[in-house]
Amino acid sequence: MSEADTVPSRGGPVVPSRGALRPVPLSSVRLAGGFWGERQAVNSTATLAHCRSWMDRLGWTGNFTASPFGRRGREFADSEIYKLLEALCWDTDEHPADLGFLTSLLARSQAGDGYLGTAYGREGQDERYSDLTFGHELYCIGHLLQAGVAAARTGRAPRLVEVARRAADHVVETFGPGRNEGVCGHPEIETALVELYRETGERRYLDQASWFVDRRGQRSLPEHEFGWAYFQDDVPVRHAEVFRGHAVRALYLAAGAVDVAVETGDADLLAAVRRQFDRTLARRTYLTGGMGSRHLDESFGDDFVLPADRAYAETCAGVATVMLAHRLLLATGDTRYGDIVERVLYNVVAAAVADDGRGFFYANTLHQRTRTENVPADREQLRFGGGPRAPWFEVSCCLPNLARLLASLESYLVTSDDGGVQLHQYADLDVCAGGLDLAVRTGYPDHGVVVVRVEAAEDRERTLTLRVPAWASDARVVDRTGSRPVRPGPVTITRRFTAGEEICLELPLRPRWTAADPRVDAVRGCVAVEVGPLVMCAESVDLDPGAQLDDLRVDTTVAPQADAVKGWFAAPDDAAWPYQGIGGGPGETRTPRLVPLVPYHRWARRGPTTMRVWLPTTPA
Ligand SMILES: [Zn+2]
């Protein structure tokens, strides 16, 4: 290792060498409490140790030293240790013992040629890369590289950087034209190789990522019952029209394609991913921002196939959507990408973690028909759908994925450019970027006032950009020049700022009815309630005994309140056959009442319950 390798760059997970906006180094931005600061603290003090203890207990960390005959966990279990390592690097606490121990395990297990993985290639195991379709070897190595990048940028675990570089060198020497010309069934290596290139300047990592992106879509993987689309191996990335197949795979691949496009100046590839993302948001995304509506193959459904009660919306897909949207935001400067990041953060990421940081959703349904159950805190769950939050899953990809996102969350909230600084998400933040030293304080999302106090400013003209969310139709900015209305989109304030001045953004949090495109047949005749960035839901724990959520009818002629809607409960007609002629049917007695609502991210935190986001309306 040269000295240059050990000097941390202080960047976060994504540091493009070019683009419209620049990430703010993690050393220059800090969460100072509030909604996200509290969640990051729980992540730091509870979730990281929780993950480590389960990985030890289930033998996943032990795989790196144990006999290959006794290997435990699924074929991708190594990746969970790598994601945890990445989270430990980003975290506000330094975790030297965990980082030292886990890194030493990896270093000892790494083969002489740089290969690292516990599921293949050892005595009694299948050959390396003998199952590219489901072996996940390059997927795992990708997460190792991202952990190595985190180690390099934070100056923690220098040995982990070395392990990651050796593994990357192995990948470059093994895959490519005239060598192994396959791709991994699960994308991830692409974005990881680009980030390692950004950190090290090693061009062949970028070239390798570029080759993997271009190779995808040529049907090099064997035909499978889920189809080539499941692996995004059906159509080349630059020719596809929409995200399809396994949602997490599709989103990771798209993130890697954006990275390659940015670093190689490939405008066509960047435009292709933007087009696919736009169409996916328009036709294949849940109100919560969740993606993926098929349980069988964890995949996107066809356009408008978004059943609330079968929403898969894997937590990892939420994490991946944030990763992708952030990359596109940096590349293009289009603040609309901040809208989807906000939606996913408040309605997928915040929902997926229990208050104590030790329970998690894998899938994020929008309609829980049967009551959730309490699950033991000491037993891993084998099924992933619906509630309740569980301490661990046989497939626990989502848990350390959440941990690494929350540990580095600051890097997704604010950016800078030559002219100044851009606030994309509203949280209690101390940030020094773009020539401005700012303290942002807010009660968001429960309160809509965001106060940006200038602590210090360079003595020249600077621009502060605030994202006004798409839902905020009556927002105002109040500053030393007065009060004025602002429209959704970027709002810029350019001047010589002075220390002590405050800029106040007022976002009205009036509850609003939301209806779905009628082509989302599954929720026709229903409405949802949103308050600011929060999707709301009704839970049976708030109902009178005997009342059933699925019998609820809401009255949309009465404006929704922030915490309730007006409605009544229809008398169910449990006929022997649930289909009847139209125009008849029993009448119903309407007894209006207020039905409580809670933010969707709060659901299933008060004991067994049913839940629905989409609320049936008055029959026509
Ligand atoms: Zn997952």
Side-chain angles (χ1 to χ4, degrees), residues 83 139 248 252 298 314-317 362 395-399 401:
K83 276 183 274 185
Y139 164 85
V248 180
Y252 280 0
E298 304 185 304
E314 184 180 340
T315 298
C316 278
Y362 185 110
V395 175
S396 273
C397 46
C398 303
L399 285 58
N401 221 356

Side-chain angles (χ1 to χ4, degrees), residues 39 95 194 412 460 493-494:
R39 280 158 179 78
H95 307 284
V194 177
Y412 296 92
R460 57 180 176 136
I493 300 163
T494 302

Side-chain angles (χ1 to χ4, degrees), residues 5-91:
D5 291 330
T6 61
V7 176
S9 64
R10 309 306 298 172
V14 190
V15 186
S17 66
R18 68 182 92 176
L21 303 176
R22 289 194 292 268
V24 174
L26 282 175
S27 52
S28 299
V29 56
R30 184 180 73 90
L31 273 168
F35 187 96
W36 290 111
E38 290 165 9
R39 280 158 179 78
Q40 189 178 64
V42 168
N43 187 60
S44 176
T45 57
T47 303
L48 296 177
H50 175 87
C51 288
R52 172 70 197 278
S53 72
W54 274 94
M55 290 176 191
D56 287 351
R57 172 181 160 181
L58 295 175
W60 298 0
T61 47
N63 286 337
F64 288 95
T65 52
S67 158
F69 298 104
R71 187 185 179 280
R72 298 173 62 184
R74 295 286 295 269
E75 60 274 24
F76 38 76
D78 297 355
S79 69
E80 317 307 356
I81 285 94
Y82 304 151
K83 276 183 274 185
L84 175 60
L85 275 163
E86 184 188 339
L88 290 164
C89 286
W90 298 132
D91 190 45

Side-chain angles (χ1 to χ4, degrees), residues 171-185:
V171 171
V172 170
E173 287 155 13
T174 305
F175 287 86
R179 304 187 295 281
N180 187 329
E181 299 189 8
V183 295
C184 184

